[in-house]
């Protein structure tokens, strides 16, 4: 769910267009209607759907754009109409618009067209296969609104939508399957009034049923005992299935029909049946099948046809819903068969309709609009509402407003006071078998679904993954804590925790281990005394813990417990991994403190921890308000700069000097600088952590890499073939899945000699995920590039780990040379690193040299490469090239600088 909000302040629904197109195509196929969807901005977001491609294109051309625009505006931008049906300039085409709403906001509009069968109508659309009657059209509109109401019901609840959707997936799937079967049965029932031949009807019905059940074969067969032949009255075979009944010996069918006799037979892949029978159907490629007899009532009851459903799936097991569906299809075919035998008399039609409605799986009753008398009620209705029938209170329950004169279908929910059950009610005006105007009520018991939804709403206060309270609960509880502290003149405290580099765990180990880590952290956090009942997951890798006023005196001990927890490695995927946290702390309440204000202050303090190097705790201070405002300005400017081809970011170069070769320049380290149009020059220590935090470091870092390679190649071609350029790879860059491919692509595109490109990685990054780093660095090394281990001495690596990395250069951090002239430890450390470099056959480079004295001391310590302000600060490209490229030829004859 995105962060756009609707007029009620709730989060809007993101519409998956591909999913919507599939649902729309399916609906059009089963209903015979033509439709497309328009978003709330008036943009058509799906192609028009229909059963037949040519007919769909024809209808699309006939629909008036002006009429569509008018229908769209009326249902989307007014409160009076949510569903409109209008005539068109063609006598047999109707056009409808339906608004799909979330809360009070319309998010989607369907335009639905229907073509009626009207061969003699003036200005009618002729020669169309996809024709429907008014009942199908209006019923289809109801079904469409019903399904989308179900899908989006309750989904706009703020920040709890994801848990709601996850728990409703199965319900939605069941609803979809139930709707498919219901729609198919509705379509099949329409054949009760068909004037087509029995064979044609059977052919259509088995096709609809088989596609709905997703099986390979379906038949209506009639064994002819007089001719010993088999008549196929209706058949369906999927495209990938082989013929079955068409190729068998009729004698075998007569033989095994005796096994079926006049009883239904259901055989799944695991059903034990007669061995010869199983062997025979196996040779036909059939594993599971259902055989349902169709009876002839006169002159005596006997089997006339068999309805056969079969599938070639080796693991096919029929479900209860499958069998029920097949049985209802059989009942419809039985009714059609009886109707044909009885010459479609009114009595036979009524009996057939009664038979079907008694077995549709829902409560049904029919009410005469004029007299109010109940003309029909099926067995399920009589069983469910016997008390209301006896007391005469049906209208009070299902028609309290006396809508008997209404002509439009409607859908609503009711709750019965007598048994406290919930019901979905579909109210549909129609013509009865004798021509009277009636209302058909279809009633479904949805009590179990309602109970389930209430359970979900109860769980809406908890995070679905960790079990901690969620943001909504946090804001509610924090408000109560602030009120309590004010009332008791006491203090409370809020901790805002953001995991450091959590993305590395997700990318390196996989999201499943990231989830394991979040659960483990939540579990341990929730066990710390003083905050065990007030920990919240705010989303992603952010947490809040509230220290109530009664535990405020123990704030330092609680903070220490949290720090100790995060300084301990986490056991994941068979090994220990570190994942620390930056923490912002704020006391409350201050004057005019609100819930949002307290959380905002803690967030500001947390960001200060991030900016200061991560894995630390920062307390909110009033002076940080300006810093927070500046951070927002800097964030906006950075997003603007990165979207504008990164023009504001400039690559500076600091020379790397070989002091063993008369202080000649051997190349430079590329360093990023940002001269913001809005904010001026910004220090790297301020904007680089922000770029990493915002996820913008990758495009910026890629820009630096490419520009540095382009510049180095120009230096090489300008008389300095051995100049090298060093480029720093950030943590985020190096953990990209395609970092090796990115480096290879940059080398090829810029034409730089890969030996002249040195990529610097920090010691702490290289050691924290050693196995992954070894693989990445070896792959980069295979491209011909050099690897430098930056900031050496600041991490916790062992010498054995250093040996495993394919490094070419060790760069000693500048913190070891600040007091180099007077600090014996610093001198011993650098001397030791020089000996280590000799043993590993790698170069050593010392950073941060600022004085002649520091340089001279290093000259006696087996150190060749140094860089620092003593020679030059980082310089603009033009200044560096003027001094060290175009007017500097000392390095041209020194190929040994590798």
């Amino acid at each position: 769910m995105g962060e756009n909000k609707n007029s009620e302040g709730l989060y809007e629904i993101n519409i998956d267009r591909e999913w919507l197109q599939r649902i729309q195509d399916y609906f059009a196929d089963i209903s015979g209607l033509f439709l497309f969807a328009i978003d709330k901005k008036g943009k058509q977001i799906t192609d028009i759907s229909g059963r037949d491609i040519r007919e769909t294109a024809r209808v699309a051309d006939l629909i008036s754009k002006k009429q569509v625009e008018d229908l769209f505006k009326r249902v989307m931008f007014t409160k009076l109409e949510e569903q409109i049906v209008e005539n068109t300039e063609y006598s047999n085409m109707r056009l409808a618009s339906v608004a799909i709403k979330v809360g009070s906001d319309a998010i989607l509009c369907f335009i639905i067209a229907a073509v009626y069968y009207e061969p003699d109508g003036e200005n009618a659309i002729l020669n169309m296969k996809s024709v429907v009657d008014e009942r199908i059209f209006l019923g289809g509109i109801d079904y469409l609104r019903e399904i989308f109401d179900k899908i989006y019901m309750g989904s706009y609840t703020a920040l709890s939508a994801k848990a709601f959707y996850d728990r409703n997936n199965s319900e939605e799937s069941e609803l979809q399957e139930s709707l498919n079967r219901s729609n198919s049965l509705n379509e099949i029932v329409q054949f009760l009034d068909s004037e087509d031949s029995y064979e044609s009807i059977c052919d259509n019905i088995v096709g609809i049923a088989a596609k709905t059940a997703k099986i390979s074969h379906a038949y209506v067969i009639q064994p002819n005992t007089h001719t010993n032949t088999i008549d196929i009255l209706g058949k369906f075979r999927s495209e990938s299935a082989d013929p079955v009944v068409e190729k068998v010996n009729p004698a075998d069918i007569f033989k095994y029909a005796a096994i079926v006799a006049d009883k239904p037979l259901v055989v799944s892949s695991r059903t034990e049946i007669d061995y010869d029978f199983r062997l025979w159907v196996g040779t036909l490629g059939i594993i599971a099948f259902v055989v349902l007899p169709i009876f002839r009532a006169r002159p005596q009851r006997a089997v006339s046809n068999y309805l056969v459903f079969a599938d070639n799936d080796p693991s096919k097991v029929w479900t209860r819903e499958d069998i029920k569906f097949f049985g209802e299809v059989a009942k419809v075919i039985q009714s059609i068969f009886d109707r044909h035998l009885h010459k479609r008399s009114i009595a036979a039609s009524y009996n057939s309709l009664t038979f079907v409605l008694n077995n549709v799986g829902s409560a049904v009753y029919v009410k005469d609009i004029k007299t109010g008398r109940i003309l029909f009620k099926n067995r399920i209705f009589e069983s469910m509402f016997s008390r209301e029938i006896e007391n005469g209170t049906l209208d009070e329950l299902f028609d309290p407003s006396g809508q008997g004169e209404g002509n439009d279908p409607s859908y609503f929910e009711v709750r019965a006071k007598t048994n406290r059950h919930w019901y979905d009610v579909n109210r549909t005006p129609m013509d009865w078998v004798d021509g009277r105007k009636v209302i058909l009520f279809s009633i479904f018991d949805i009590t179990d679904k309602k109970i389930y939804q209430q359970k979900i709403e109860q769980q809406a206060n908890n995070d679905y993954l960790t079990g901690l309270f969620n943001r909504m609960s946090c804001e509610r509880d924090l408000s109560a804590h602030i009120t309590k502290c004010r009332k008791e003149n006491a203090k409370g405290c809020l901790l805002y925790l953001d995991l450091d580099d959590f993305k590395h765990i997700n990318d390196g180990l996989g999201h499943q281990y990231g989830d394991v880590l979040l659960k483990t952290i939540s579990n341990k956090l929730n066990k710390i005394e003083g905050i065990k009942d007030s920990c919240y997951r705010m989303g992603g890798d952010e947490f809040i813990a509230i220290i109530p006023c009664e535990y405020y005196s123990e704030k330092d001990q609680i903070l220490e417990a949290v720090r100790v927890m995060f300084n301990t490695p986490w056991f994941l995927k068979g090994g220990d991994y570190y994942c620390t946290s930056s923490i912002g702390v704020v006391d409350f309440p201050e004057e005019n403190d609100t819930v949002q204000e307290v959380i905002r202050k803690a967030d500001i303090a947390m960001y200060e921890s991030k900016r200061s190097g991560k894995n630390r705790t920062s307390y909110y201070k009033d002076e940080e308000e300006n810093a927070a405002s500046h951070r927002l300005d800097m964030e906006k400017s950075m997003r603007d700069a990165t979207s504008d081809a990164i023009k504001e970011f400039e690559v500076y170069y600091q020379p790397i000097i070989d002091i063993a070769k008369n202080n000649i320049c051997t190349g430079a380290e590329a360093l990023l600088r940002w001269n913001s149009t809005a904010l001026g020059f910004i220090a790297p220590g301020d904007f680089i952590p922000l770029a990493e935090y915002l996820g913008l470091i990758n495009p910026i870092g890629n820009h630096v890499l490419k520009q540095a390679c382009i510049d180095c190649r120009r230096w090489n071609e300008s008389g300095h073939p051995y100049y090298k350029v060093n480029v720093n790879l950030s943590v985020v860059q190096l953990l990209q899945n395609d970092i090796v491919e990115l480096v290879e692509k940059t080398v090829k595109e810029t034409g730089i000699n890969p030996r002249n490109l040195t990529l610097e990685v920090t010691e702490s990054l290289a050691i924290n995920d050693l196995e992954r780093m070894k693989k990445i660095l070896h792959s980069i090394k295979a491209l011909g590039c050099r690897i430098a281990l930056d900031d050496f001495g600041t991490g916790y690596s062992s010498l054995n780990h250093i040996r495993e990395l394919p490094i070419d250069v060790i760069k000693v951090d500048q913190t070891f040379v600040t007091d180099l002239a007077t600090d014996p430890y610093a001198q011993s450390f650098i001397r030791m690193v020089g000996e280590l470099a000799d043993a590993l056959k790698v170069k050593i480079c010392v950073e941060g040299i600022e004085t002649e004295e520091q340089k001279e001391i290093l000259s006696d310590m087996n150190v060749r490469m140094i860089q620092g302000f003593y020679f030059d600060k980082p310089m603009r490209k033009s200044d560096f090239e003027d001094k060290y490229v175009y007017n500097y030829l000392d390095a041209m004859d020194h190929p040994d600088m590798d």
Side-chain angles (χ1 to χ4, degrees), residues 702 705 733-749 759 775-776 779-780 783:
N702 296 342
L705 176 62
Q733 279 182 285
L734 199 56
L735 289 176
Q736 295 179 95
N737 292 329
D738 62 345
I739 182 61
V740 178
E741 291 80 3
L742 178 65
V743 172
E744 182 179 17
K745 178 182 177 183
T746 303
V747 169
K748 289 181 179 178
E749 287 182 352
L759 299 175
K775 181 179 179 181
I776 293 173
S779 297
I780 293 177
L783 300 176

Side-chain angles (χ1 to χ4, degrees), residues 417-431:
K417 296 180 180 179
T418 53
N419 58 9
R420 297 184 179 181
H421 278 221
W422 284 93
Y423 300 100
D424 270 349
V425 182
N426 283 293
R427 174 188 176 281
T428 307
M430 60 178 291
D431 293 333

Side-chain angles (χ1 to χ4, degrees), residues 708-727:
C709 290
I710 291 172
D711 293 342
C712 184
R713 179 187 175 185
R714 186 170 58 255
W715 303 339
N716 298 153
E717 295 174 349
S718 301
H720 302 278
Y722 303 106
Y723 266 20
K724 296 172 174 57
V725 67
N726 288 29
V727 180

Side-chain angles (χ1 to χ4, degrees), residues 571-626:
F571 187 76
L572 300 168
K573 203 176 182 180
D576 288 337
Y577 290 85
Y578 284 88
C579 182
T580 57
S581 176
S582 297
I583 305 174
V585 182
V586 62
D587 290 340
F588 64 82
E590 298 295 336
E591 187 178 358
N592 299 323
D593 262 352
T594 63
V595 168
Q596 289 73 23
E597 187 70 9
V598 172
I599 294 175
R600 186 184 67 84
K601 290 178 179 179
D603 185 39
I604 291 172
M606 181 275 293
Y607 179 74
E608 179 60 27
S609 296
K610 290 281 188 189
R611 196 181 68 83
S612 302
K614 305 178 183 179
N615 190 25
R616 61 193 66 210
T617 301
S618 298
Y619 291 82
Y620 174 78
K621 300 172 185 175
D622 289 337
E623 53 266 29
E624 289 178 353
E625 285 288 349
N626 291 332

Side-chain angles (χ1 to χ4, degrees), residues 485-540:
C485 288
R486 284 197 175 117
K487 184 177 180 180
E488 299 179 3
N489 195 25
K491 284 282 186 182
C493 183
L494 185 140
L495 318 181
Y496 201 119
L497 300 87
D498 186 282
L499 304 186
D500 298 326
D501 302 323
F502 176 70
K503 185 176 185 297
H504 304 165
I505 298 293
N506 268 343
D507 292 346
L509 302 181
H511 287 271
Q512 67 272 35
Y513 289 99
D515 289 347
V516 169
L517 177 60
L518 291 175
K519 292 177 183 177
T520 305
I521 290 173
S522 300
N523 185 47
K524 289 192 174 183
L525 199 61
N526 211 28
K527 288 182 179 179
I528 296 176
E529 192 65 35
I531 58 173
K532 61 172 55 178
D533 295 322
S534 54
C535 294
Y536 311 83
R537 184 185 178 204
M538 303 300 281

